[in-house]
Each structure stands twice: as C-alpha cells, then as structure tokens.
Amino acid sequence: MRMHSLTPAMCLVLFAACSSSSTGGNGNSGGGDGGTGSGGDDSGGSTVTEHGLVYDYGTFLSSGTLVTVEGLTVTDGDQTATTDANGNWSITLPLSATMHPVVTGTSKGDAYSTLMLPMATAAASDLDWGNIIIPDVSTFQLERVTLGSDDTQAVVHVVTDTSGACTSVAGGVLTVTSPPGAKVNYFDSQGYPTASATSMVDPPVPGRPVADIYDLTPGADITLTVTHPTCHLAPYPATVTGASLNGQVTTKAAEPGDNNSAMNILLE
C-alpha cells in the first residue's frame, strides 16, 4: 500500500523470508569495483557486475572511523569473490540472475559473522551494493547480549535508503506486525543499539543500520510497517543503485553460525 499524503503516513510491506537460500540486497552510497572473483563473461550486455565495499561494523563504534575488511569471502550462487585490501569485491552474473550475496570469513585473524544481504535483480548492467557493514563474531555476540535476544531466533539489521523529497529517516517508527513476537531496537546517532530510542535517527554513515529486528522466527514472512512524519515506504520492486529489490530476505537462527541479515527499505 502506498500513501502519497505528506501528513503522517503508514505503509505496509511484506518481506518473504527464504529459508533455503541466501538472499542479496542493495547498499547505499559508496562501494566500488575491485576485489578478486569468478564470474561469467560480458558478451552482448547479457551480464551484470555486482560489487560493493565491505566495512567493519565494530571499528566505527570504537574509533569513529570506517575500516574496510580484507580477505572476506562473498558468495552469490556458484560464484565467489574475495574482498581486496580496500574492502572491494565484484562478481559477474547473468543479467537475468537473482542476486543474493552472502559475506563471511576471517580477516587478519578475526572471524566475521555470516551476513546475508537482501534479494535483488539487476536494474542495470552495474549493480552497486555500496557500503556493506558487517560485524565480526565478537561484536555480533555482544550486540545479541545487549539486545537480550534468543539465539534460536533471527536477527535482521535494517538499512535505509531515501529518494525524492524524503531526505531524512529521522522520526520513522518501524513496527513488525508479523510474525508475532518479533521485536525492534533502534540505533542511536553514533551507531549503538539503544533500548531508550523510540524511532529511527539518520545513520552516522551510509549503509549503517538504523534498527534491528530480533527474536524473529527463522524463515517466516515479515510484515513491516513504517510510520514517518513526511515520508512513506516505497512499494516493491524498489530500485536503488542498479538493484531492483523485491522485498525478500533470508532469515536463519543466529546460532549456530553467527547468522544475521540485512534488510534494505526505501523511503520516499
């Protein structure tokens, strides 16, 4: 449902949570070509190159600086890539493919969580996921302790994009109406999860999550509403930086595997 009034608006979106395969998604501004990977050839414009820039989730909290992560593995379908010294990666797939990258691995001795990006198809021959913020295992475990979340349930980080007249997500309220029992926690302006916040604030850097959904039934379809003073939730499919998002996201139990997902929503 799409509402055009500039008075407080509530829109509804259904995210089909796929339990059998990992899903891909879009990033925000940033990213770039690079990294090493395997993929098809680009003959006659029949392929799409997807790429992004992987940053460490925790270093921004400790130092206020985004630090790229080298040596992580990005998998999409039967193709893989490795993030380079600047955190870049790229994979080439058929233009008709459904993109659903998964990022995981170890960098400089630090184990990272398994991050599943939202599902998308290509709206152009270049699909830029932009900033991809991934927690290492210790940071993700600390986050779950802070949330008091159930390790047998899923954790989804909500990433926002804006377009048109909507320039700020501040004041937006997320409500999960299905499945029952799922909870929402917001991040503050420094990027910390905080129980005292009651609405979204603009992220300190593009790609940084604004909220997380936790105690979420793995594999369940997610029905999410967004209430905002001036903006409304864009209907799916929503196109951002070459990615046509269909609203689907994989959810798995946080443990075993330190699994977490990224869900991108577009406000306009």
Side-chain angles (χ1 to χ4, degrees):
M1 180 173 64
R2 183 174 179 178
M3 301 181 69
H4 298 278
S5 172
L6 294 183
T7 58
M10 177 176 286
C11 298
L12 180 68
V13 63
L14 178 68
F15 295 88
C18 310
S19 59
S20 61
S21 63
S22 299
T23 61
N26 76 291
N28 292 289
S29 61
D33 296 317
T36 58
S38 60
D41 59 8
D42 188 1
S43 56
S46 60
T47 59
V48 55
T49 298
E50 57 174 343
H51 56 93
L53 186 55
V54 178
Y55 286 104
D56 185 273
Y57 179 105
T59 53
F60 185 84
L61 299 180
S62 60
S63 66
T65 303
L66 280 175
V67 176
T68 57
V69 187
E70 177 183 3
L72 296 185
T73 298
V74 183
T75 303
D76 198 346
D78 60 357
Q79 305 298 321
T80 61
T82 301
T83 59
D84 66 14
N86 296 312
N88 291 300
W89 64 275
S90 67
I91 288 175
T92 300
L93 292 171
L95 190 62
S96 60
T98 297
M99 270 58 76
H100 40 88
V102 178
V103 188
T104 192
T106 300
S107 177
K108 299 179 180 179
D110 292 328
Y112 278 78
S113 63
T114 299
L115 174 62
M116 298 167 285
L117 298 178
M119 187 179 293
T121 53
S125 61
D126 181 89
L127 193 160
D128 183 6
W129 295 105
N131 292 353
I132 300 168
I133 314 293
I134 183 171
D136 63 20
V137 167
S138 61
T139 301
F140 183 52
Q141 291 175 346
L142 179 60
E143 178 185 359
R144 299 203 319 273
V145 169
T146 302
L147 293 172
S149 63
D150 182 344
D151 288 349
T152 67
Q153 303 297 301
V155 176
V156 175
H157 294 96
V158 180
V159 178
T160 53
D161 290 284
T162 59
S163 69
C166 183
T167 59
S168 171
V169 303
V173 176
L174 303 173
T175 303
V176 180
T177 58
S178 180
K183 303 177 180 69
V184 175
N185 185 85
Y186 298 99
F187 291 83
D188 64 21
S189 59
Q190 303 303 310
Y192 286 93
T194 174
S196 61
T198 58
S199 64
M200 295 186 287
V201 299
D202 291 314
V205 291
R208 185 79 186 171
V210 298
D212 46 25
I213 302 170
Y214 63 103
D215 288 354
L216 178 67
T217 304
D221 289 347
I222 308 169
T223 306
L224 176 71
T225 64
V226 179
T227 304
H228 189 276
T230 57
C231 305
H232 60 266
L233 192 64
Y236 287 97
T239 300
V240 181
T241 61
S244 179
L245 300 167
N246 64 8
Q248 293 185 324
V249 59
T250 294
T251 55
K252 296 181 179 180
E255 296 298 343
D258 296 296
N259 299 302
N260 61 110
S261 305
M263 180 172 69
N264 290 66
I265 61 174
L266 176 64
L267 297 182
E268 61 183 14

mmCIF file of all heavy atoms in Angstrom, residues 170-195:
data_model
loop_
_atom_site.group_PDB
_atom_site.id
_atom_site.type_symbol
_atom_site.label_atom_id
_atom_site.label_comp_id
_atom_site.label_asym_id
_atom_site.label_seq_id
_atom_site.Cartn_x
_atom_site.Cartn_y
_atom_site.Cartn_z
ATOM 1 N N ALA A 170 14.813 10.246 10.078
ATOM 2 C CA ALA A 170 14.628 10.569 11.489
ATOM 3 C C ALA A 170 13.149 10.673 11.840
ATOM 4 O O ALA A 170 12.367 11.309 11.123
ATOM 5 C CB ALA A 170 15.343 11.865 11.830
ATOM 6 N N GLY A 171 12.776 10.046 12.939
ATOM 7 C CA GLY A 171 11.392 10.077 13.392
ATOM 8 C C GLY A 171 10.557 8.925 12.882
ATOM 9 O O GLY A 171 9.405 8.764 13.307
ATOM 10 N N GLY A 172 11.120 8.120 11.981
ATOM 11 C CA GLY A 172 10.378 6.981 11.465
ATOM 12 C C GLY A 172 10.262 5.870 12.497
ATOM 13 O O GLY A 172 11.199 5.600 13.240
ATOM 14 N N VAL A 173 9.115 5.240 12.545
ATOM 15 C CA VAL A 173 8.850 4.170 13.501
ATOM 16 C C VAL A 173 8.572 2.880 12.733
ATOM 17 O O VAL A 173 7.714 2.846 11.846
ATOM 18 C CB VAL A 173 7.653 4.512 14.410
ATOM 19 C CG1 VAL A 173 7.333 3.338 15.333
ATOM 20 C CG2 VAL A 173 7.944 5.767 15.222
ATOM 21 N N LEU A 174 9.316 1.826 13.070
ATOM 22 C CA LEU A 174 9.142 0.511 12.462
ATOM 23 C C LEU A 174 8.275 -0.350 13.371
ATOM 24 O O LEU A 174 8.482 -0.385 14.581
ATOM 25 C CB LEU A 174 10.493 -0.178 12.275
ATOM 26 C CG LEU A 174 11.552 0.554 11.450
ATOM 27 C CD1 LEU A 174 12.875 -0.200 11.527
ATOM 28 C CD2 LEU A 174 11.104 0.692 10.005
ATOM 29 N N THR A 175 7.341 -1.055 12.777
ATOM 30 C CA THR A 175 6.516 -1.998 13.522
ATOM 31 C C THR A 175 6.449 -3.308 12.754
ATOM 32 O O THR A 175 6.107 -3.311 11.568
ATOM 33 C CB THR A 175 5.090 -1.452 13.726
ATOM 34 O OG1 THR A 175 5.139 -0.193 14.385
ATOM 35 C CG2 THR A 175 4.262 -2.428 14.559
ATOM 36 N N VAL A 176 6.801 -4.395 13.415
ATOM 37 C CA VAL A 176 6.675 -5.721 12.812
ATOM 38 C C VAL A 176 5.317 -6.281 13.231
ATOM 39 O O VAL A 176 5.091 -6.557 14.402
ATOM 40 C CB VAL A 176 7.812 -6.660 13.251
ATOM 41 C CG1 VAL A 176 7.651 -8.030 12.607
ATOM 42 C CG2 VAL A 176 9.175 -6.067 12.881
ATOM 43 N N THR A 177 4.425 -6.430 12.268
ATOM 44 C CA THR A 177 3.093 -6.942 12.573
ATOM 45 C C THR A 177 3.006 -8.452 12.410
ATOM 46 O O THR A 177 2.064 -9.078 12.878
ATOM 47 C CB THR A 177 2.038 -6.262 11.687
ATOM 48 O OG1 THR A 177 2.362 -6.498 10.306
ATOM 49 C CG2 THR A 177 2.023 -4.757 11.942
ATOM 50 N N SER A 178 4.002 -9.039 11.733
ATOM 51 C CA SER A 178 4.072 -10.483 11.575
ATOM 52 C C SER A 178 5.505 -10.861 11.205
ATOM 53 O O SER A 178 6.151 -10.129 10.450
ATOM 54 C CB SER A 178 3.117 -10.953 10.466
ATOM 55 O OG SER A 178 3.177 -12.350 10.288
ATOM 56 N N PRO A 179 6.042 -11.930 11.786
ATOM 57 C CA PRO A 179 5.421 -12.889 12.699
ATOM 58 C C PRO A 179 5.305 -12.324 14.114
ATOM 59 O O PRO A 179 6.021 -11.378 14.465
ATOM 60 C CB PRO A 179 6.397 -14.072 12.665
ATOM 61 C CG PRO A 179 7.723 -13.433 12.404
ATOM 62 C CD PRO A 179 7.440 -12.305 11.472
ATOM 63 N N PRO A 180 4.446 -12.897 14.920
ATOM 64 C CA PRO A 180 4.290 -12.406 16.295
ATOM 65 C C PRO A 180 5.553 -12.655 17.106
ATOM 66 O O PRO A 180 6.300 -13.602 16.860
ATOM 67 C CB PRO A 180 3.115 -13.232 16.828
ATOM 68 C CG PRO A 180 3.093 -14.466 15.974
ATOM 69 C CD PRO A 180 3.537 -14.028 14.621
ATOM 70 N N GLY A 181 5.780 -11.782 18.061
ATOM 71 C CA GLY A 181 6.907 -11.946 18.972
ATOM 72 C C GLY A 181 8.180 -11.248 18.553
ATOM 73 O O GLY A 181 9.108 -11.107 19.358
ATOM 74 N N ALA A 182 8.269 -10.804 17.290
ATOM 75 C CA ALA A 182 9.472 -10.105 16.833
ATOM 76 C C ALA A 182 9.557 -8.730 17.485
ATOM 77 O O ALA A 182 8.541 -8.060 17.708
ATOM 78 C CB ALA A 182 9.455 -9.966 15.320
ATOM 79 N N LYS A 183 10.780 -8.314 17.814
ATOM 80 C CA LYS A 183 10.996 -7.042 18.493
ATOM 81 C C LYS A 183 11.868 -6.119 17.636
ATOM 82 O O LYS A 183 12.651 -6.583 16.797
ATOM 83 C CB LYS A 183 11.670 -7.273 19.847
ATOM 84 C CG LYS A 183 10.913 -8.209 20.780
ATOM 85 C CD LYS A 183 11.685 -8.428 22.063
ATOM 86 C CE LYS A 183 10.964 -9.360 23.026
ATOM 87 N NZ LYS A 183 10.921 -10.749 22.525
ATOM 88 N N VAL A 184 11.739 -4.813 17.861
ATOM 89 C CA VAL A 184 12.522 -3.804 17.141
ATOM 90 C C VAL A 184 13.354 -3.016 18.127
ATOM 91 O O VAL A 184 12.857 -2.605 19.185
ATOM 92 C CB VAL A 184 11.608 -2.838 16.344
ATOM 93 C CG1 VAL A 184 12.430 -1.734 15.694
ATOM 94 C CG2 VAL A 184 10.815 -3.596 15.282
ATOM 95 N N ASN A 185 14.617 -2.807 17.792
ATOM 96 C CA ASN A 185 15.508 -1.976 18.598
ATOM 97 C C ASN A 185 16.187 -0.974 17.667
ATOM 98 O O ASN A 185 16.642 -1.341 16.584
ATOM 99 C CB ASN A 185 16.565 -2.840 19.286
ATOM 100 C CG ASN A 185 17.442 -2.034 20.225
ATOM 101 O OD1 ASN A 185 17.094 -1.817 21.380
ATOM 102 N ND2 ASN A 185 18.595 -1.578 19.737
ATOM 103 N N TYR A 186 16.256 0.289 18.083
ATOM 104 C CA TYR A 186 16.838 1.331 17.239
ATOM 105 C C TYR A 186 18.298 1.604 17.614
ATOM 106 O O TYR A 186 18.731 1.333 18.737
ATOM 107 C CB TYR A 186 16.032 2.629 17.362
ATOM 108 C CG TYR A 186 14.601 2.480 16.903
ATOM 109 C CD1 TYR A 186 13.570 2.293 17.828
ATOM 110 C CD2 TYR A 186 14.271 2.506 15.553
ATOM 111 C CE1 TYR A 186 12.253 2.136 17.408
ATOM 112 C CE2 TYR A 186 12.958 2.357 15.126
ATOM 113 C CZ TYR A 186 11.958 2.169 16.058
ATOM 114 O OH TYR A 186 10.658 2.002 15.643
ATOM 115 N N PHE A 187 19.026 2.156 16.652
ATOM 116 C CA PHE A 187 20.398 2.585 16.880
ATOM 117 C C PHE A 187 20.420 4.097 17.095
ATOM 118 O O PHE A 187 19.626 4.832 16.492
ATOM 119 C CB PHE A 187 21.279 2.230 15.681
ATOM 120 C CG PHE A 187 21.506 0.759 15.511
ATOM 121 C CD1 PHE A 187 20.574 -0.040 14.861
ATOM 122 C CD2 PHE A 187 22.650 0.163 16.007
ATOM 123 C CE1 PHE A 187 20.775 -1.402 14.708
ATOM 124 C CE2 PHE A 187 22.871 -1.205 15.858
ATOM 125 C CZ PHE A 187 21.928 -1.982 15.204
ATOM 126 N N ASP A 188 21.348 4.558 17.943
ATOM 127 C CA ASP A 188 21.457 5.999 18.164
ATOM 128 C C ASP A 188 22.316 6.637 17.073
ATOM 129 O O ASP A 188 22.780 5.963 16.143
ATOM 130 C CB ASP A 188 21.988 6.309 19.563
ATOM 131 C CG ASP A 188 23.403 5.801 19.804
ATOM 132 O OD1 ASP A 188 24.150 5.561 18.835
ATOM 133 O OD2 ASP A 188 23.782 5.655 20.984
ATOM 134 N N SER A 189 22.551 7.941 17.176
ATOM 135 C CA SER A 189 23.268 8.671 16.131
ATOM 136 C C SER A 189 24.729 8.269 16.021
ATOM 137 O O SER A 189 25.392 8.580 15.030
ATOM 138 C CB SER A 189 23.167 10.183 16.385
ATOM 139 O OG SER A 189 23.726 10.512 17.656
ATOM 140 N N GLN A 190 25.246 7.561 17.029
ATOM 141 C CA GLN A 190 26.618 7.072 16.981
ATOM 142 C C GLN A 190 26.696 5.643 16.445
ATOM 143 O O GLN A 190 27.793 5.116 16.230
ATOM 144 C CB GLN A 190 27.238 7.117 18.383
ATOM 145 C CG GLN A 190 27.220 8.497 19.018
ATOM 146 C CD GLN A 190 27.930 9.529 18.174
ATOM 147 O OE1 GLN A 190 29.057 9.315 17.739
ATOM 148 N NE2 GLN A 190 27.269 10.654 17.937
ATOM 149 N N GLY A 191 25.535 5.019 16.243
ATOM 150 C CA GLY A 191 25.511 3.670 15.723
ATOM 151 C C GLY A 191 25.386 2.586 16.764
ATOM 152 O O GLY A 191 25.534 1.402 16.446
ATOM 153 N N TYR A 192 25.100 2.958 18.013
ATOM 154 C CA TYR A 192 24.948 1.976 19.076
ATOM 155 C C TYR A 192 23.483 1.559 19.204
ATOM 156 O O TYR A 192 22.588 2.414 19.164
ATOM 157 C CB TYR A 192 25.399 2.535 20.422
ATOM 158 C CG TYR A 192 26.873 2.668 20.595
ATOM 159 C CD1 TYR A 192 27.521 3.857 20.294
ATOM 160 C CD2 TYR A 192 27.639 1.604 21.074
ATOM 161 C CE1 TYR A 192 28.900 3.988 20.458
ATOM 162 C CE2 TYR A 192 29.013 1.719 21.240
ATOM 163 C CZ TYR A 192 29.634 2.918 20.935
ATOM 164 O OH TYR A 192 30.982 3.044 21.096
ATOM 165 N N PRO A 193 23.207 0.273 19.408
ATOM 166 C CA PRO A 193 21.833 -0.125 19.729
ATOM 167 C C PRO A 193 21.462 0.399 21.111
ATOM 168 O O PRO A 193 22.256 0.332 22.047
ATOM 169 C CB PRO A 193 21.893 -1.658 19.710
ATOM 170 C CG PRO A 193 23.325 -1.999 19.947
ATOM 171 C CD PRO A 193 24.131 -0.877 19.366
ATOM 172 N N THR A 194 20.273 0.963 21.217
ATOM 173 C CA THR A 194 19.872 1.537 22.497
ATOM 174 C C THR A 194 18.412 1.249 22.773
ATOM 175 O O THR A 194 17.546 1.442 21.906
ATOM 176 C CB THR A 194 20.118 3.056 22.520
ATOM 177 O OG1 THR A 194 19.597 3.617 23.727
ATOM 178 C CG2 THR A 194 19.488 3.755 21.322
ATOM 179 N N ALA A 195 18.121 0.777 23.964
ATOM 180 C CA ALA A 195 16.752 0.423 24.334
ATOM 181 C C ALA A 195 15.875 1.653 24.565
ATOM 182 O O ALA A 195 14.649 1.555 24.541
ATOM 183 C CB ALA A 195 16.765 -0.445 25.590
#
